[in-house]
Amino acid sequence: MQITVRDSVDLLVAGGAVRGCEIALAEQKRGAKVLLVTPFSYFGEDVCAYLKLHDIPEFLAKLGVTAPARPVQIKYALDRVMLENRVPFLFQTFVLGVQGDCVIFANREGLFAVRARAVLDTTPFLTAAHAGNMPFEPFNPGKYRAVCRALVSCEEGEAEYMGEGKFYRLEEKHTEVELSAWQEDAFFRATLEVRNNCWSPAQFQSADLVEFAGLPAPMEDSEKWIFTIDQYRGIQREAVSTAQTVAWDVSRTRKADIVVTGGGTAGAAAAIPGAQAGLDTLVLERLSHLGGTGTQGRICVYWFGLKNGYTRHLDEEVRKAAMEEEVSKRWPSEPKQHVWERENISAGAAVWFNTFCCALEKEDDKIVSVLAATPMGGIRIEAAQFLDCTGNAELARLAGAPTEFSAPEEPAYQGSGMCPVVLGKNYSNSDYMFTVDDSTQDVSRAYITGRERCAAYFDVSQLPGTRERRRIIGEVVLTASDFYAKKHYDDTVALACSNFDTHGFTVAPLLLFHPTDHDPYIAEIPFRALLSPGVANLMTTGLGISAQRDAMPLIRMQSDVQNQGYAAGLLAAEAVQSGRELRRIDLAKVQEKLRAMGFFTPDCEIPESGLNQDAAIFAAPDLASLRADFQKAPDFEKALRLALLGYSDGAELLKKAVSSQPWDDGWDYRGMGQFGKSVSRLDAAIIALRNFAGDAAFLMPRLKELQPESQFSHFRAVSLYLQKHPSREAVPELRRLLGAFECHAKEDLASLLDAPFEGLTDVAERNFQLRELYLAGALHACDPADELAKSFLERYQKGVHRLYAIYAGKWGK
C-alpha cells in the first residue's frame, strides 16, 4: 500500500518516556525539527504506566515532581513543558512499521508516514526498533520474571497517599510467567496471567503495564538511525529522500473466527459467547485494561439501565471479587476490571491490549481482514465475523458503511469530560467540554484539558467521557419518537432503559414540542440497528449503533450496553457455527437463548405520560386529522405541532405570536443534570418556522430585544432561522450582538494552559462559545462579506475544538 508522508523531521521520538521528552526538548532548543509521538494518552509512560512513582528521574525533579509522585503530577508537568516550548506531539498514535527512512503510524485520522534523520525509540516494547530490523539479542522461550504494581489500601502507619479518610501505599508483586514467543498472543496471555495471579481486592488502581525482566535487549549497530535511549548519539544522518509517499505492506498475519474491535463496555462482553463456544475470538483494545467507561473512564455507577441478562451475572461476579454486599448501583473499578479480564480468560478469548485497529480489507460485501497496530508492530487479522465495539463506528466507517455525525448541522452534542481519579472514591463524573472521538487532536485536547483541571488529584481517567459519537446508519434507525411511542420490533435482541439524561440540548421535533421528564422509559434494540447496509459480516454496538442522536440518552446506559455487547457476541457465534451470513442466521434460536438469560425481562416499572401520546403522533402522524382539528379550533399548540411536522397550516399564527409577545423563559446551556426543556415555546416556534419560506420581519422585534446576556436558546432559535432564511435587515442587530463578545476560540493547545474554569461541570465558557458560533453563522449567512463574522468563524475553524471547527467550516465553504 502507498502511505502518505505527512512530515519530515530531524528527530522523531517514538514513545513519551521521560528521557525521550527531555531529549526532544533539548534538540528542539538546538534548532532541530522534532516530533514526539506516543501510543499512550500521556507522556511519562516509563514511569506512570508501571506506577514507578518512587524513583523520580532528574528531568521530572527539575519540573517540580517529588516522590512519591502522583501519576497526574507527572503527566501534567510533561504536558506543560512540551506545550510551553512548542514541541509538536501526538497522543494515541501507534507505530505500524518502518520503511526506508520513514516510520509508519496509525491513529484516528488513518495511516501516515513521518520521514526522519534520526528516530529515538522510547516505546515500552521498542516497537520502532524491532520494525526497523535493529539487531536484538535472540529471544529464548521460558520463564520470565514479572513485576506488577498497584496502589492498595492500607493502615494509616503504612500510608504513602491518603484521601477521603482512606490510606494507600504502592505495592510491588514479583512473579514468574511462561513466555513462549515474542508475539502478541503469548505476550498478552502472559500479561493477563500475571495480573490474575497478582490480583488483590485491596487494589485501588493498578499499573497499565506489567514489567518483564530479561527480554531481549537491542545490540549495538554502527549503521543504525534508530536509537534506543541508552544508545542515543544525536542526529547524524544528513540526507533523506523527498518522496511524498512510501510503499509499505504488512508482513504478518493471524487468523481468527471472530474479531472484536474495542474492549470497553460492549466489547468486553461481546467476546465471551464466541470464546465459550470454542471459537477463536480476539479482542483488540486500544488501552491497557478492559471495561472502558466503567473502569478506565471511572464512571463506576449505573445511572439507569436494566440489571437483567448478562449484566446480572457480571454484577454478581464483581460483587464477589470486591467482597462487597452489593454492586448493582456502584462498584470499585479494579474488581470490575479484574472480572472482565477473568471472564475473557476463562472463556478462552485472546485479548490484545495497547492495540489499535486502523484499516481493513474488504471483498464485495465482506470484511476479509483488519490491520492492527500492536506493541509488536502491524499485523493483518483475518476473520469470519467482526464486531465494531469501538463506540464510535470506527470499523464500520473503515468498511465504507454509511455513518452520521451531528456537528455539521449545528453543534448540538452531548457534553464530555475527563474524570479525576480521587483517592478514597471509586466514582467521579464530569461534563466541562465537547470531545469528538474521530480526531486525534481533539482527543489530545481533552487529555490536556482534563489534566489541567484534575492536577490536584491522584490521577485522571484515560477515556474522554464522551456520551455522543459517530453512529452507523443501519437497516433501521432508532428514534426518540419510536422509543417513547413504545415501538415493538420482531428482531429485538436487547432492551435499554433510562430517563432522558441529555447532557445538552435536543434537536428532534418531538422533543422541541414535548420535552422529556425525569421518568425512565424502555427501548427495544433490534438486530437491524446493529447491521450496516453493504457489509455482510459486521455488527456495530454501543454508542455507534444506528440511532438518531436524540435517541442515544435512552440506550447508552452501561448495564444495557453490556447486554447489547453480549447479545452481539452470541449472534456472531451463531453465524460462525452455522456457516450462515448474519442476516440468514436462525434469529429465533438466538432470541430464545437471550430470553432464557432474562434479557427481555424488565426489572422496573415504566409509568405512562403525555409524552407517550405525543410520541405516537410524531412517530406516525395522522395528518388529515391533525390538520382538520386545527382548522376547527386553531391555537398555538396545534400550529406548533403541525409546523414541526412540516405543515404550514398554522405558520401565520406562529409568526404573529413571535412578533407580538416578548421573549418567554428560555434556557442557558447546561450539561450535567440537564433534563426537560432546552427551548422556550417561542424558540420552538421560530425553529419550526424554518421549514417554510418567508422573510424575517416577524422575527425582528425579538432580535432587537436580545442582549449579550440573554438566554442561549433565544440566540440559537433566531440564528437557526436566519441561517436558513437570511435577511439584510438583521445584519446590524447581529453585528451589535456578536461585537459584544470576545472570541473564545482556542487557537492552539498551548492556549489551554491556565485557562479559567468553574469545576468539573463548567458551562460558562461553552455558553459564550455557542452564542458566538450561532451568531457568527447567522451573520455570515445574512452578509457573506461581513468581516466580523469571518473573523470569528475563521478562528473557530482553525482552533483546537474539533466540534466547533466542523460547524464553523460549514460557513467557510
Side-chain angles (χ1 to χ4, degrees):
M1 64 182 77
Q2 289 292 321
I3 310 292
T4 299
V5 179
R6 181 182 293 182
D7 203 358
S8 292
V9 299
D10 297 313
L11 176 64
L12 172 63
V13 180
V18 174
R19 177 62 177 152
C21 291
E22 182 180 13
I23 291 172
L25 181 60
E27 293 288 11
Q28 170 132 327
K29 287 182 175 179
R30 293 190 190 104
K33 184 177 181 181
V34 174
L35 177 63
L36 180 57
V37 178
T38 175
F40 288 82
S41 60
Y42 53 84
F43 298 125
E45 58 256 38
D46 56 326
V47 179
C48 297
Y50 298 102
L51 290 182
K52 298 168 75 170
L53 305 177
H54 288 123
D55 300 322
I56 302 302
E58 182 181 351
F59 182 60
L60 285 178
K62 291 178 180 177
L63 298 179
V65 178
T66 57
R70 294 172 288 112
V72 73
Q73 183 183 13
I74 296 168
K75 298 169 186 178
Y76 175 65
L78 292 172
D79 281 351
R80 290 195 69 95
V81 73
M82 294 295 108
L83 289 169
E84 288 170 349
N85 289 277
R86 306 285 174 169
V87 177
F89 61 82
L90 294 168
F91 290 129
Q92 286 206 330
T93 299
F94 298 74
V95 175
L96 268 173
V98 175
Q99 184 67 41
D101 56 5
C102 291
V103 180
I104 315 298
F105 290 104
N107 62 18
R108 287 171 169 86
E109 276 74 47
L111 312 185
F112 63 95
V114 176
R115 179 174 288 115
R117 293 171 58 197
V119 175
L120 175 60
D121 188 351
T122 77
T123 60
F125 307 100
L126 298 179
T127 310
H130 281 286
N133 296 317
M134 185 177 180
F136 277 76
E137 297 171 349
F139 174 83
N140 295 311
K143 292 283 188 181
Y144 282 80
R145 289 181 293 112
V147 181
C148 194
R149 297 182 183 86
L151 189 74
V152 300
S153 58
C154 66
E155 298 298 325
E156 182 176 1
E158 305 174 298
E160 298 173 293
Y161 306 89
M162 70 167 294
E164 301 288 322
K166 297 182 180 180
F167 304 95
Y168 302 90
R169 64 177 176 83
L170 285 168
E171 181 177 78
E172 185 172 287
K173 291 185 177 180
H174 296 253
T175 186
E176 281 195 338
V177 66
E178 186 74 27
L179 189 55
S180 59
W182 182 248
Q183 47 90 353
E184 290 87 354
D185 281 317
F187 179 79
F188 289 118
R189 189 183 307 118
T191 296
L192 287 167
E193 183 178 338
V194 170
R195 286 180 181 169
N196 190 56
N197 291 342
C198 295
W199 155 256
S200 163
Q203 288 178 200
F204 179 80
Q205 178 163 315
S206 56
D208 289 339
L209 299 179
V210 171
E211 186 175 8
F212 290 89
L215 293 177
M219 301 166 64
E220 286 292 342
D221 178 10
S222 60
E223 301 299 322
K224 72 188 176 192
W225 59 290
I226 300 177
F227 301 95
T228 60
I229 290 176
D230 294 337
Q231 299 174 350
Y232 183 66
R233 297 196 300 270
I235 303 165
Q236 298 178 347
R237 189 167 57 171
E238 290 300 325
V240 293
S241 65
T242 58
Q244 298 301 301
T245 62
V246 60
W248 177 81
D249 285 298
V250 63
S251 59
R252 299 186 301 137
T253 300
R254 186 204 192 279
K255 294 185 178 181
D257 293 314
I258 300 171
V259 168
V260 179
T261 56
T265 311
I272 293 168
Q276 287 176 331
L279 301 175
D280 186 354
T281 306
L282 175 59
V283 182
L284 309 178
E285 168 54 35
R286 188 188 330 234
L287 298 179
S288 302
H289 297 277
L290 293 178
T293 296
T295 58
Q296 294 295 284
R298 307 301 293 195
I299 310 296
C300 306
V301 63
Y302 293 138
W303 172 242
F304 270 91
L306 302 173
K307 315 306 185 299
N308 58 7
Y310 176 74
T311 286
R312 180 177 289 113
H313 162 78
L314 179 69
D315 287 350
E316 176 60 18
E317 293 302 308
V318 174
R319 185 193 66 77
K320 289 187 288 188
M323 298 193 300
E324 296 191 3
E325 293 184 2
E326 195 263 339
V327 296
S328 63
K329 292 183 179 179
R330 295 189 180 216
W331 58 87
S333 64
E334 286 291 316
K336 188 160 189 175
Q337 195 166 274
H338 169 66
V339 169
W340 276 130
E341 294 182 359
R342 192 186 67 200
E343 289 270 297
N344 277 270
I345 293 169
S346 300
V351 182
W352 294 3
F353 297 109
N354 309 110
T355 296
F356 176 53
C357 182
C358 53
L360 59 78
E361 292 176 301
K362 186 180 171 190
E363 292 181 2
D364 298 324
D365 63 347
K366 289 187 177 180
I367 300 172
V368 175
S369 68
V370 293
L371 175 60
T374 82
M376 284 76 181
I379 184 170
R380 177 185 291 109
I381 305 167
E382 299 174 356
Q385 294 292 329
F386 295 86
L387 294 176
D388 184 344
C389 300
T390 62
N392 197 37
E394 290 176 8
L395 197 59
R397 180 175 57 83
L398 290 171
T403 64
E404 68 174 352
F405 177 67
S406 306
E409 287 302 313
E410 55 175 317
Y413 207 62
Q414 293 189 62
S416 65
M418 299 285 292
C419 295
V421 177
V422 184
L423 293 178
K425 293 177 66 176
N426 288 307
Y427 162 71
S428 61
N429 206 345
S430 62
D431 182 341
Y432 50 81
M433 59 183 168
F434 300 123
T435 308
V436 178
D437 285 70
D438 280 1
S439 166
T440 299
Q441 183 190 55
D442 210 51
V443 173
S444 295
R445 176 189 55 80
Y447 293 141
I448 293 164
T449 301
R451 290 190 280 269
E452 277 280 312
R453 298 197 173 193
C454 301
Y457 296 100
F458 178 75
D459 205 354
V460 65
S461 66
Q462 294 190 51
L463 278 175
T466 49
R467 300 170 172 94
E468 180 177 346
R469 305 173 193 165
R470 182 173 296 279
R471 306 172 299 279
I472 64 169
I473 302 174
E475 296 188 357
V476 62
V477 179
L478 308 178
T479 69
S481 297
D482 288 338
F483 285 160
Y484 288 118
K486 302 182 179 179
K487 185 170 183 178
H488 170 67
Y489 301 92
D490 291 335
D491 60 337
T492 292
V493 293
L495 300 180
C497 178
S498 183
N499 61 359
F500 202 79
D501 184 19
T502 184
H503 282 267
F505 53 96
T506 55
V507 299
L510 166 66
L511 303 181
L512 295 177
F513 183 77
H514 192 139
T516 57
D517 48 35
H518 282 71
D519 292 329
Y521 288 85
I522 284 181
E524 294 188 19
I525 308 298
F527 182 31
R528 287 167 295 159
L530 311 183
L531 300 175
S532 292
V535 190
N537 59 342
L538 172 68
M539 282 181 286
T540 300
T541 67
L543 270 65
I545 72 168
S546 179
Q548 291 179 353
R549 56 94 55 193
D550 279 338
M552 293 307 300
L554 289 180
I555 59 177
R556 61 170 172 75
M557 298 298 111
Q558 289 187 61
S559 59
D560 298 328
V561 173
Q562 288 164 180
N563 279 340
Q564 186 192 123
Y566 187 93
L570 202 59
L571 292 160
E574 175 64 22
V576 175
Q577 289 180 308
S578 67
R580 298 179 179 179
E581 292 189 359
L582 282 171
R583 291 161 177 82
R584 292 182 173 86
I585 63 172
D586 186 345
L587 181 58
K589 176 182 174 182
V590 177
Q591 288 175 316
E592 187 55 39
K593 290 181 180 179
L594 295 170
R595 185 172 291 106
M597 292 180 66
F599 268 68
F600 305 135
T601 306
D603 57 4
C604 62
E605 294 292 328
I606 305 300
E608 288 285 339
S609 78
L611 184 55
N612 300 119
Q613 287 73 46
D614 283 325
I617 293 172
F618 276 82
D622 181 351
L623 293 170
S625 296
L626 292 174
R627 298 176 80 178
D629 186 39
F630 175 76
Q631 294 300 329
K632 183 178 179 180
D635 64 25
F636 182 92
E637 293 299 307
K638 295 174 185 176
L640 177 58
R641 180 164 51 199
L642 281 168
L644 288 168
L645 288 168
Y647 288 83
S648 61
D649 303 51
E652 291 305 315
L653 188 155
L654 295 179
K655 288 182 178 181
K656 184 176 180 180
V658 171
S659 64
S660 62
Q661 299 177 21
W663 280 116
D664 49 359
D665 187 27
W667 177 82
D668 272 325
Y669 179 81
R670 179 184 175 93
M672 189 76 78
Q674 164 55 25
F675 294 90
K677 73 170 188 176
S678 57
V679 293
S680 71
R681 243 23 194 172
L682 288 186
D683 294 330
I686 294 167
I687 293 171
L689 286 167
R690 292 191 308 154
N691 289 326
F692 320 115
D695 60 34
F698 77 96
L699 194 58
M700 290 308 298
R702 302 290 74 74
L703 178 58
K704 291 177 179 179
E705 279 183 355
L706 280 182
Q707 299 300 320
E709 62 275 10
S710 296
Q711 289 165 305
F712 163 68
S713 66
H714 300 331
F715 282 89
R716 177 184 170 221
V718 168
S719 296
L720 286 175
Y721 184 88
L722 292 171
Q723 287 168 10
K724 191 165 184 180
H725 303 292
S727 168
R728 296 291 298 185
E729 185 183 2
V731 169
E733 294 300 324
L734 293 172
R735 283 188 59 82
R736 169 182 65 84
L737 290 167
L738 186 58
F741 292 104
E742 298 178 10
C743 187
H744 287 76
K746 303 294 184 183
E747 298 184 29
D748 55 36
L749 292 175
S751 66
L752 301 172
L753 298 177
D754 301 318
F757 66 94
E758 298 179 5
L760 298 180
T761 58
D762 179 33
V763 296
E765 185 172 65
R766 282 180 289 180
N767 265 297
F768 283 120
Q769 291 166 334
L770 290 169
R771 282 171 168 82
E772 292 165 2
L773 279 163
Y774 278 95
L775 280 174
L779 180 53
H780 181 81
C782 293
D783 183 3
D786 187 89
E787 292 299 326
L788 181 62
K790 282 184 180 180
S791 68
F792 272 73
L793 293 171
E794 285 177 2
R795 290 181 65 182
Y796 276 107
Q797 189 173 0
K798 294 175 181 177
V800 295
H801 290 85
R802 181 63 181 153
L803 180 75
Y804 301 157
I806 293 171
Y807 182 69
K810 168 184 175 180
W811 303 104
K813 294 179 181 178

